[in-house]
Amino acid sequence: MPENTPAPGSSAVPAADTPASDAVPHIEFSDVLKRFGDHTVLEDLNFTVSPGERVTLIGPSGSGKTTILRLVMTLEELTGGYIHIGGHPLQYERRDGRRVRISDKMRRRTTTHIGMVFQHFNLFPNMTVLENLIEAPVHVMGLGKDEAVAKAEGLLEKVGMSAKQDARPTQLSGGQQQRVAIARALAMDPEILLLDEVTSALDPELVDEVLGVLKDIAAETDISMLIVTHEMQFAREVSQRVMMFDKGRIVEQGAPEKIFSEPDHRRTKDFLRAVL
Ligand SMILES: Nc1ncnc2c1ncn2[C@@H]1O[C@H](COP(=O)(O)OP(=O)(O)O)[C@@H](O)[C@H]1O
Ligand SMILES: [Mg+2]
């Protein structure tokens, strides 16, 4: 009897829509240690974020939230442990039992599709809104100018900023600048979006327009997100999980309904009482 050779297109081969990478976390912190000088900011930190998952980090000022995001963005050097992005080592890997720094080229390859929006508007001040959006797609991703412009125009429409595409950042309100910053991050087709208190520096009447844009993105895309925010209602609406930090450690974590309504820990209760 000849071997039973499957015909092309038969189901003998695993379907292409169930890649093994589905099981790999988008973000994985393993025994992460971060020190600034002799000040230990993060220690023994372990957590994962699944593909498409949106996780909010809460906790008092100085608890290490921004440092976590900056580590993922490789804006900070990891002191100990490992971070993997989609299974790829970000700064260090274990090779033959040793912790080895990976090449800058590999780092850049892994971080290309990670976007970050900061508390303080960080658009390029000498460029127009449109130029801000096409800069990285052209120079980092190698997109053609026309294609980058078309994409940028689509994104500006999405965040309600089409009318301002030729404006300079200084001519925009804070809320408008943050919407452009979000569009700029999206222009790199991020698989991971890091949001660090993106509404904290805004006048109160401008907060909702920015949160509205983020809610739309959360509803319409499967981008994984790490979100630092004091907007608890927003966190409740968009995130599947909340992690409460204190002094660089996870105090507790769980679904937003649980953490916001019936937290187990005293420190979480005190923190929520202070911010709500
Ligand atoms: N570049 C730095 N140099 C020295 N210490 C820093 C630096 N960045 C952050 N820290 C310290 O790390 C701790 C955590 O800061 P951060 O991650 O900004 O906390 P959070 O975002 O939760 O307020 C704080 O004690 C802060 O002073
Ligand atoms: Mg911070």
Side-chain angles (χ1 to χ4, degrees):
M1 283 272 284
E3 283 292 313
N4 184 12
T5 309
S10 85
S11 59
V13 177
D17 61 355
T18 55
S21 62
D22 265 8
V24 176
H26 248 174
I27 303 173
E28 181 168 28
F29 274 51
S30 309
D31 303 326
V32 161
L33 171 67
K34 175 60 187 172
R35 289 196 189 106
F36 290 105
D38 53 14
H39 178 198
T40 301
V41 173
L42 304 172
E43 195 167 12
D44 295 330
L45 182 58
N46 292 278
F47 70 88
T48 60
V49 176
S50 302
E53 194 181 12
R54 295 182 295 271
V55 179
T56 295
L57 315 184
I58 61 170
S61 176
S63 59
K65 306 177 301 293
T66 293
T67 302
I68 291 167
L69 267 48
R70 289 176 57 84
L71 281 167
V72 174
M73 203 64 198
T74 65
L75 295 171
E76 298 290 351
E77 187 76 13
L78 197 55
T79 311
Y82 301 89
I83 300 172
H84 286 79
I85 302 296
H88 302 285
L90 186 61
Q91 297 194 10
Y92 291 86
E93 65 180 333
R94 194 190 295 276
R95 219 186 284 154
D96 303 327
R98 286 173 47 235
R99 186 167 176 272
V100 185
R101 198 173 191 279
I102 68 163
S103 70
D104 287 345
K105 191 178 165 193
M106 285 290 290
R107 283 183 183 217
R108 278 196 298 274
R109 193 177 299 167
T110 309
T111 53
T112 300
H113 296 289
I114 304 176
M116 183 158 177
V117 182
F118 300 83
Q119 174 174 359
H120 291 286
F121 330 121
N122 61 329
L123 296 172
F124 305 124
N126 55 332
M127 295 183 190
T128 66
V129 163
L130 189 74
E131 286 164 353
N132 262 276
L133 263 71
I134 65 175
E135 166 71 20
V138 168
H139 291 108
V140 180
M141 281 204 298
L143 218 61
K145 177 95 188 281
D146 291 348
E147 205 180 334
V149 168
K151 186 175 188 181
E153 287 173 346
L155 287 167
L156 288 174
E157 191 172 338
K158 183 153 200 46
V159 301
M161 289 297 294
S162 295
K164 299 285 186 183
Q165 70 169 47
D166 297 319
R168 302 265 163 183
T170 49
Q171 297 171 296
L172 306 179
S173 73
Q176 290 174 328
Q177 289 185 51
Q178 284 302 58
R179 285 188 280 149
V180 172
I182 293 163
R184 186 177 64 174
L186 294 177
M188 290 295 282
D189 298 329
E191 291 169 1
I192 296 171
L193 191 57
L194 309 169
L195 303 169
D196 193 4
E197 299 196 33
V198 299
T199 60
S200 295
L202 296 178
D203 293 332
E205 73 272 19
L206 303 178
V207 169
D208 281 350
E209 66 187 56
V210 174
L211 296 184
V213 162
L214 292 172
K215 284 181 207 168
D216 288 347
I217 295 163
E220 294 164 16
T221 73
D222 57 2
I223 300 172
S224 305
M225 298 188 195
L226 271 186
I227 304 164
V228 179
T229 183
H230 295 301
E231 299 288 338
M232 298 302 162
Q233 184 54 37
F234 169 70
R236 208 184 257 263
E237 283 175 47
V238 302
S239 51
Q240 287 102 2
R241 180 154 50 108
V242 175
M243 296 199 290
M244 166 72 194
F245 281 84
D246 192 26
K247 301 190 179 74
R249 291 172 187 268
I250 299 170
V251 174
E252 63 178 310
Q253 58 178 313
E257 307 79 60
K258 159 79 180 153
I259 300 296
F260 293 141
S261 305
E262 36 180 328
D264 290 329
H265 286 260
R266 184 66 205 233
R267 274 177 289 177
T268 313
K269 287 175 196 165
D270 291 346
F271 171 75
L272 290 173
R273 197 174 304 125
V275 297
L276 288 174

